[in-house]
Each structure stands twice: as structure tokens, then as C-alpha cells.
Amino acid sequence: NERLVQVAQIEGHVARISQADAGLLGVIEHTRADIVFAPDVSGLVQAAQDLVGKPLSECKVLDLACLEGHYAIEFALHGAEALGIEGRAASVAKCDFARRNLGLERVRFEQDDVRHLSRDKHGVFDIVICSGLLYHLPARDAQALIAAMYQACSRILIIDTFISLEGRNAVDIDGSERR
């Protein structure tokens, strides 16, 4: 019998895999036996549930640059239909692994550049999450992504990012100087 390693525990659901598989996925260091990789996102889910105006089971959620799918998975565990978009194939593989092992059917993950987001391609979502992303993009790309999120979001847009209040840098976007 191979030793099983807990790789996710979210809302009472537990995914366990062999220690060898966990090492291959980069989920754990080989010297550690039990790692919970999911961050505490329950506060964000609760806030969205309080504001969205309908049950999460009736909501569509978009998680941009989802990394390992934490938000998308958490919302799916609460009954929402969720889509996570991530640029790195290795991260999408981890997302799909967690989805399969948690038995989630209402969440899916796509490998794509978030700058390709469009209402026509991806649809409309009740909740859009953009966490830890905008400050990685050039200003023009960030502005275009915000516009695309606006078009794809019908109810709540959650943005978590760093901002600068100093305004030292200016960028021209469509003939208007932005600081």
C-alpha cells in the first residue's frame, strides 16, 4: 500500500493521492507528509453570496489567472458553475487533478491568456474574480482586461490588486493620459 497524501481539504471535502504523484505535481516537498494547499477563501465566497442576490447554485463564476483553481473550486463546492482560466499548462493540470479528485462536475479549467477574455468566447458570468493579476500586466493590457471583465460580468466583479497612489508614471490610453 502506498502512503496517501492529503493535497486538498476544502469545506470538508478531502482529496488524497499517492506521495509519488504529489511529488510529480509539485504539491508537496518529499520530506513532508500532509500539506493542505488551499487558502482560506471562505470569506470571499461569503461576501459574494451576500451580494450576488441569488443562490450560488444558480451562479456562473469566472476565476481569471486561477493558478491552482482555489476560488473556482471553492465556488463549485458551494454549487456554482465555475470556469478558471490559467496561462500555465502545469497549473491547469493541477486544477484538473483537484477537480477530478474532489468529484466536481460544475467546474472546468482552460489554458488561455486572460487577455483573450471576451463575452463572445467565454460568455457572461454573475461573479468575476481577478486576484493578483492586474499589476503584472502593462497598463494598456490591464485597461483592456478591465473593459473585457466589465462586458463579461453581469453582477459582481472582484478585483484584488496592488495600486500606486503616487502617480509618477503616466500612460496614454486612447488619447487620454492616465496616472
Side-chain angles (χ1 to χ4, degrees):
N1 258 352
E2 268 190 285
R3 180 163 184 190
L4 296 181
V5 177
Q6 178 175 315
V7 293
Q9 182 172 343
I10 306 170
E11 293 295 314
H13 297 274
V14 176
R16 296 184 188 275
I17 60 172
S18 73
Q19 195 164 11
D21 287 342
L24 288 173
L25 285 171
V27 173
I28 65 166
E29 299 171 345
H30 292 289
T31 57
R32 299 184 68 184
D34 265 324
I35 300 291
V36 177
F37 72 80
D40 179 16
V41 295
S42 58
L44 184 136
V45 172
Q46 185 63 55
Q49 186 171 358
D50 291 346
L51 296 170
V52 76
K54 62 182 182 179
L56 287 179
S57 61
E58 297 174 13
C59 291
K60 287 181 65 179
V61 177
L62 175 62
D63 184 4
L64 294 169
C66 67
L67 191 58
E68 294 176 350
H70 300 126
Y71 294 122
I73 289 169
E74 184 75 20
F75 275 93
L77 286 168
H78 283 82
E81 179 183 338
L83 169 63
I85 298 176
E86 170 58 41
R88 292 168 284 223
S91 293
V92 173
K94 290 178 184 180
C95 293
D96 283 333
F97 174 83
R99 176 191 52 77
R100 282 190 313 273
N101 283 279
L102 290 170
L104 297 173
E105 296 178 5
R106 295 194 54 158
V107 63
R108 63 188 177 87
F109 298 97
E110 292 181 5
Q111 182 184 354
D112 199 356
D113 187 322
V114 295
R115 292 173 285 196
H116 298 154
L117 174 65
S118 76
R119 183 183 184 124
D120 292 339
K121 180 178 180 180
H122 297 99
V124 176
F125 297 85
D126 300 291
I127 302 167
V128 175
I129 304 164
C130 178
S131 180
L133 170 62
L134 290 179
Y135 55 89
H136 291 289
L137 300 175
R140 286 177 185 82
D141 290 349
Q143 186 270 341
L145 180 59
I146 290 168
M149 288 187 295
Y150 175 79
Q151 293 297 316
C153 184
S154 66
R155 292 178 181 251
I156 300 173
L157 171 57
I158 300 168
I159 297 176
D160 177 18
T161 193
F162 292 111
I163 59 170
S164 171
L165 300 177
E166 295 181 15
R168 290 186 211 165
N169 298 322
V171 64
D172 180 277
I173 299 177
D174 298 329
S176 178
E177 185 178 286
R178 311 285 173 115
R179 289 191 178 270

Coordinates of all heavy atoms in Angstrom, one line a residue, residues 121-174:
K121 N -16.5 34.8 -26.6 CA -15.8 33.5 -26.4 C -16.2 32.8 -25.1 O -16.3 31.5 -25.2 CB -14.3 33.8 -26.5 CG -13.5 32.5 -26.3 CD -12.0 32.9 -26.4 CE -11.1 31.6 -26.3 NZ -9.7 31.9 -26.4
H122 N -16.3 33.5 -24.0 CA -16.5 32.8 -22.7 C -17.9 32.9 -22.1 O -18.2 32.2 -21.2 CB -15.4 33.4 -21.7 CG -14.0 33.1 -22.2 ND1 -13.2 34.0 -22.8 CD2 -13.3 32.0 -22.0 CE1 -12.1 33.5 -23.1 NE2 -12.1 32.3 -22.6
G123 N -18.6 33.9 -22.6 CA -20.0 34.1 -22.0 C -20.1 35.2 -21.0 O -19.2 36.0 -20.8
V124 N -21.2 35.1 -20.2 CA -21.4 36.1 -19.2 C -21.5 35.4 -17.8 O -22.0 34.3 -17.7 CB -22.8 36.8 -19.4 CG1 -23.1 37.8 -18.3 CG2 -22.8 37.5 -20.8
F125 N -20.9 36.1 -16.8 CA -20.8 35.5 -15.5 C -21.4 36.4 -14.5 O -21.3 37.6 -14.5 CB -19.3 35.2 -15.2 CG -18.6 34.3 -16.1 CD1 -18.1 34.7 -17.3 CD2 -18.6 32.9 -15.8 CE1 -17.5 33.8 -18.2 CE2 -18.0 32.0 -16.7 CZ -17.5 32.5 -17.9
D126 N -22.0 35.8 -13.5 CA -22.5 36.5 -12.3 C -21.4 37.1 -11.5 O -21.6 38.2 -10.9 CB -23.4 35.6 -11.4 CG -24.6 35.0 -12.2 OD1 -25.5 35.8 -12.6 OD2 -24.5 33.8 -12.5
I127 N -20.4 36.3 -11.3 CA -19.2 36.7 -10.5 C -17.9 36.5 -11.2 O -17.7 35.5 -11.8 CB -19.2 35.9 -9.2 CG1 -20.5 36.0 -8.4 CG2 -18.0 36.3 -8.3 CD1 -20.7 35.0 -7.3
V128 N -17.1 37.6 -11.3 CA -15.8 37.5 -12.0 C -14.8 37.9 -10.9 O -14.9 38.9 -10.2 CB -15.7 38.5 -13.2 CG1 -14.3 38.5 -13.8 CG2 -16.8 38.1 -14.2
I129 N -13.8 37.0 -10.8 CA -12.7 37.2 -9.8 C -11.4 37.4 -10.6 O -11.0 36.6 -11.4 CB -12.5 36.0 -8.9 CG1 -13.9 35.7 -8.2 CG2 -11.4 36.2 -7.9 CD1 -13.9 34.3 -7.6
C130 N -10.8 38.6 -10.3 CA -9.4 38.9 -10.8 C -8.5 39.2 -9.7 O -8.5 40.3 -9.2 CB -9.6 40.1 -11.8 SG -8.0 40.7 -12.5
S131 N -7.8 38.2 -9.2 CA -7.0 38.4 -8.0 C -5.5 38.2 -8.3 O -5.1 37.2 -8.9 CB -7.4 37.3 -7.0 OG -6.7 37.4 -5.8
G132 N -4.7 39.2 -7.9 CA -3.3 39.1 -8.1 C -2.8 39.1 -9.5 O -1.8 38.4 -9.8
L133 N -3.5 39.8 -10.3 CA -3.2 39.8 -11.8 C -2.9 41.1 -12.4 O -1.9 41.2 -13.1 CB -4.4 39.1 -12.5 CG -4.4 39.2 -14.0 CD1 -3.2 38.4 -14.6 CD2 -5.7 38.6 -14.6
L134 N -3.7 42.1 -12.2 CA -3.6 43.3 -13.0 C -2.2 44.0 -12.9 O -1.7 44.5 -13.9 CB -4.6 44.3 -12.5 CG -6.1 44.0 -12.9 CD1 -7.0 45.1 -12.4 CD2 -6.2 43.8 -14.4
Y135 N -1.5 43.9 -11.8 CA -0.2 44.6 -11.6 C 0.9 43.9 -12.4 O 2.0 44.4 -12.5 CB 0.1 44.8 -10.1 CG 0.1 43.5 -9.3 CD1 1.3 42.7 -9.2 CD2 -1.0 43.1 -8.6 CE1 1.2 41.5 -8.5 CE2 -1.0 42.0 -7.9 CZ 0.1 41.2 -7.8 OH 0.1 40.0 -7.0
H136 N 0.6 42.7 -12.9 CA 1.5 42.0 -13.7 C 1.5 42.4 -15.2 O 2.3 42.1 -16.0 CB 1.3 40.5 -13.7 CG 1.7 39.9 -12.3 ND1 3.0 39.8 -11.9 CD2 0.9 39.4 -11.4 CE1 2.9 39.2 -10.7 NE2 1.7 39.0 -10.3
L137 N 0.4 43.1 -15.6 CA 0.1 43.5 -17.0 C 0.6 44.9 -17.3 O 0.5 45.8 -16.4 CB -1.4 43.4 -17.3 CG -2.0 42.0 -17.1 CD1 -3.5 42.1 -17.3 CD2 -1.4 41.0 -18.0
P138 N 1.0 45.1 -18.5 CA 1.2 46.5 -18.9 C -0.1 47.3 -18.8 O -1.2 46.7 -18.9 CB 1.7 46.4 -20.4 CG 2.1 45.0 -20.6 CD 1.3 44.2 -19.6
A139 N 0.0 48.6 -18.6 CA -1.2 49.4 -18.4 C -2.3 49.3 -19.4 O -3.4 49.1 -19.1 CB -0.8 50.9 -18.2
R140 N -1.9 49.3 -20.7 CA -2.9 49.1 -21.8 C -3.6 47.8 -21.7 O -4.8 47.7 -21.9 CB -2.2 49.3 -23.1 CG -1.9 50.8 -23.4 CD -1.1 50.9 -24.7 NE -0.7 52.3 -24.9 CZ 0.4 52.8 -24.4 NH1 1.2 52.1 -23.7 NH2 0.7 54.1 -24.6
D141 N -2.8 46.7 -21.4 CA -3.4 45.4 -21.3 C -4.3 45.3 -20.1 O -5.4 44.7 -20.1 CB -2.3 44.3 -21.2 CG -1.6 44.1 -22.5 OD1 -2.0 44.6 -23.5 OD2 -0.6 43.4 -22.5
A142 N -3.9 45.9 -19.0 CA -4.8 45.9 -17.8 C -6.1 46.7 -18.0 O -7.2 46.2 -17.7 CB -4.0 46.6 -16.6
Q143 N -6.0 47.8 -18.7 CA -7.2 48.6 -19.1 C -8.1 47.8 -20.0 O -9.3 47.7 -19.8 CB -6.8 49.9 -19.7 CG -7.9 50.9 -19.9 CD -8.6 50.7 -21.3 OE1 -8.0 50.2 -22.2 NE2 -9.8 51.2 -21.4
A144 N -7.5 47.1 -21.0 CA -8.3 46.3 -21.9 C -9.0 45.1 -21.1 O -10.1 44.8 -21.4 CB -7.5 45.8 -23.0
L145 N -8.2 44.5 -20.2 CA -8.8 43.4 -19.4 C -10.0 43.9 -18.5 O -11.0 43.2 -18.4 CB -7.7 42.7 -18.6 CG -8.2 41.5 -17.7 CD1 -8.9 40.4 -18.6 CD2 -7.1 41.0 -16.9
I146 N -9.8 45.0 -17.9 CA -10.9 45.6 -17.1 C -12.1 45.8 -18.0 O -13.2 45.5 -17.6 CB -10.4 46.9 -16.4 CG1 -9.4 46.5 -15.3 CG2 -11.6 47.6 -15.8 CD1 -8.7 47.7 -14.8
A147 N -12.0 46.3 -19.2 CA -13.1 46.5 -20.1 C -13.7 45.2 -20.4 O -15.0 45.1 -20.5 CB -12.6 47.3 -21.3
A148 N -12.9 44.2 -20.7 CA -13.4 42.8 -21.1 C -14.2 42.2 -19.9 O -15.2 41.6 -20.0 CB -12.3 41.9 -21.5
M149 N -13.6 42.4 -18.6 CA -14.3 41.9 -17.5 C -15.7 42.6 -17.3 O -16.7 41.9 -16.9 CB -13.5 42.1 -16.2 CG -12.3 41.2 -16.2 SD -11.3 41.3 -14.6 CE -10.7 42.9 -14.6
Y150 N -15.7 43.9 -17.5 CA -17.0 44.6 -17.4 C -18.0 44.0 -18.4 O -19.2 43.9 -18.0 CB -16.7 46.1 -17.8 CG -18.0 46.9 -17.8 CD1 -18.6 47.4 -16.6 CD2 -18.6 47.3 -19.0 CE1 -19.7 48.1 -16.7 CE2 -19.7 48.0 -19.1 CZ -20.3 48.4 -17.9 OH -21.5 49.2 -17.9
Q151 N -17.6 43.7 -19.6 CA -18.5 43.1 -20.6 C -19.0 41.7 -20.2 O -20.1 41.3 -20.5 CB -17.8 43.1 -22.0 CG -17.6 44.5 -22.6 CD -18.9 45.2 -22.8 OE1 -19.9 44.6 -23.3 NE2 -18.9 46.5 -22.4
A152 N -18.1 40.9 -19.6 CA -18.4 39.5 -19.2 C -19.1 39.4 -17.9 O -19.5 38.3 -17.5 CB -17.1 38.7 -19.3
C153 N -19.2 40.4 -17.1 CA -19.8 40.3 -15.8 C -21.1 41.0 -15.7 O -21.4 42.1 -16.1 CB -18.8 41.1 -14.8 SG -19.3 40.9 -13.1
S154 N -22.1 40.2 -15.1 CA -23.5 40.7 -15.0 C -23.8 41.2 -13.6 O -24.8 41.9 -13.4 CB -24.5 39.6 -15.4 OG -24.4 38.5 -14.5
R155 N -23.0 40.8 -12.6 CA -23.4 41.2 -11.2 C -22.2 41.7 -10.4 O -22.2 42.8 -9.9 CB -24.1 40.0 -10.5 CG -25.4 39.7 -11.1 CD -26.1 38.6 -10.4 NE -27.4 38.3 -11.0 CZ -28.5 38.5 -10.4 NH1 -28.6 39.0 -9.2 NH2 -29.6 38.2 -11.0
I156 N -21.2 40.9 -10.1 CA -20.2 41.3 -9.2 C -18.8 41.0 -9.8 O -18.5 39.9 -10.3 CB -20.2 40.4 -7.9 CG1 -21.5 40.6 -7.1 CG2 -19.1 40.8 -6.9 CD1 -21.7 39.7 -6.0
L157 N -17.9 42.1 -9.8 CA -16.6 41.9 -10.2 C -15.7 42.2 -9.0 O -15.8 43.2 -8.3 CB -16.2 43.0 -11.3 CG -14.8 43.1 -11.7 CD1 -14.2 41.8 -12.2 CD2 -14.7 44.2 -12.8
I158 N -14.9 41.2 -8.7 CA -14.0 41.2 -7.5 C -12.6 41.4 -8.0 O -12.1 40.5 -8.7 CB -14.1 40.0 -6.6 CG1 -15.5 39.8 -6.1 CG2 -13.1 40.0 -5.5 CD1 -15.8 38.5 -5.5
I159 N -11.9 42.5 -7.7 CA -10.5 42.8 -8.1 C -9.7 42.9 -6.9 O -10.0 43.7 -6.0 CB -10.4 44.0 -9.0 CG1 -11.2 43.9 -10.3 CG2 -9.0 44.3 -9.3 CD1 -11.3 45.1 -11.2
D160 N -8.6 42.1 -6.8 CA -7.7 42.2 -5.7 C -6.3 42.5 -6.4 O -5.8 41.6 -7.2 CB -7.6 40.9 -5.0 CG -6.6 40.8 -3.9 OD1 -6.1 41.9 -3.5 OD2 -6.2 39.7 -3.4
T161 N -5.8 43.7 -6.2 CA -4.5 44.0 -6.9 C -3.8 45.1 -6.0 O -4.3 45.6 -5.1 CB -4.8 44.6 -8.3 OG1 -3.6 44.7 -9.0 CG2 -5.5 45.9 -8.2
F162 N -2.6 45.3 -6.4 CA -1.8 46.4 -5.9 C -2.0 47.6 -6.7 O -2.2 47.5 -7.9 CB -0.3 46.0 -5.9 CG 0.1 44.9 -4.9 CD1 0.5 43.7 -5.4 CD2 0.0 45.1 -3.6 CE1 0.9 42.7 -4.6 CE2 0.4 44.1 -2.7 CZ 0.8 42.8 -3.2
I163 N -2.0 48.8 -6.1 CA -2.1 50.0 -6.8 C -1.0 51.0 -6.3 O -0.5 50.8 -5.2 CB -3.5 50.7 -6.7 CG1 -3.8 51.0 -5.2 CG2 -4.5 49.8 -7.3 CD1 -5.0 51.8 -5.0
S164 N -0.7 52.0 -7.1 CA 0.2 53.0 -6.7 C -0.6 54.3 -6.5 O -1.3 54.7 -7.4 CB 1.3 53.2 -7.7 OG 2.1 54.4 -7.4
L165 N -0.4 55.0 -5.4 CA -1.1 56.3 -5.2 C -0.2 57.5 -5.5 O -0.6 58.6 -5.4 CB -1.5 56.3 -3.7 CG -2.5 55.2 -3.3 CD1 -2.9 55.4 -1.8 CD2 -3.8 55.3 -4.1
E166 N 1.0 57.2 -5.9 CA 2.0 58.3 -6.2 C 1.8 58.9 -7.5 O 2.1 60.1 -7.7 CB 3.4 57.8 -6.0 CG 3.7 57.4 -4.6 CD 5.1 56.9 -4.4 OE1 6.0 57.2 -5.2 OE2 5.4 56.3 -3.3
G167 N 1.3 58.2 -8.5 CA 1.1 58.7 -9.9 C 2.3 59.3 -10.6 O 2.2 60.2 -11.3
R168 N 3.4 58.6 -10.3 CA 4.7 59.1 -11.0 C 4.7 58.8 -12.5 O 5.2 59.5 -13.3 CB 5.9 58.5 -10.4 CG 6.2 59.0 -9.0 CD 7.5 58.4 -8.5 NE 7.4 58.3 -7.1 CZ 8.2 57.6 -6.4 NH1 9.2 56.9 -7.0 NH2 8.1 57.5 -5.1
N169 N 4.1 57.7 -12.8 CA 4.1 57.2 -14.2 C 2.7 57.5 -14.9 O 1.7 57.4 -14.3 CB 4.3 55.7 -14.3 CG 5.7 55.3 -13.8 OD1 6.6 56.0 -13.9 ND2 5.7 54.2 -13.1
A170 N 2.8 58.0 -16.1 CA 1.6 58.3 -16.9 C 1.7 57.4 -18.1 O 2.7 57.1 -18.7 CB 1.5 59.7 -17.2
V171 N 0.5 57.0 -18.6 CA 0.4 56.2 -19.8 C -0.8 56.8 -20.6 O -1.8 57.3 -20.0 CB 0.1 54.7 -19.5 CG1 -1.2 54.5 -18.8 CG2 0.2 53.9 -20.7
D172 N -0.6 56.9 -21.9 CA -1.6 57.4 -22.8 C -2.5 56.2 -23.3 O -2.0 55.2 -23.9 CB -1.0 58.1 -24.0 CG -2.1 58.6 -24.9 OD1 -2.6 57.8 -25.8 OD2 -2.4 59.8 -24.8
I173 N -3.8 56.2 -22.9 CA -4.7 55.2 -23.4 C -5.8 55.8 -24.2 O -6.5 56.6 -23.6 CB -5.2 54.3 -22.2 CG1 -4.1 53.6 -21.4 CG2 -6.3 53.3 -22.7 CD1 -4.5 52.9 -20.2
D174 N -5.9 55.5 -25.4 CA -6.9 56.1 -26.3 C -6.9 57.6 -26.2 O -8.0 58.2 -26.2 CB -8.3 55.5 -26.0 CG -8.3 54.0 -26.2 OD1 -7.6 53.5 -27.1 OD2 -9.1 53.3 -25.4

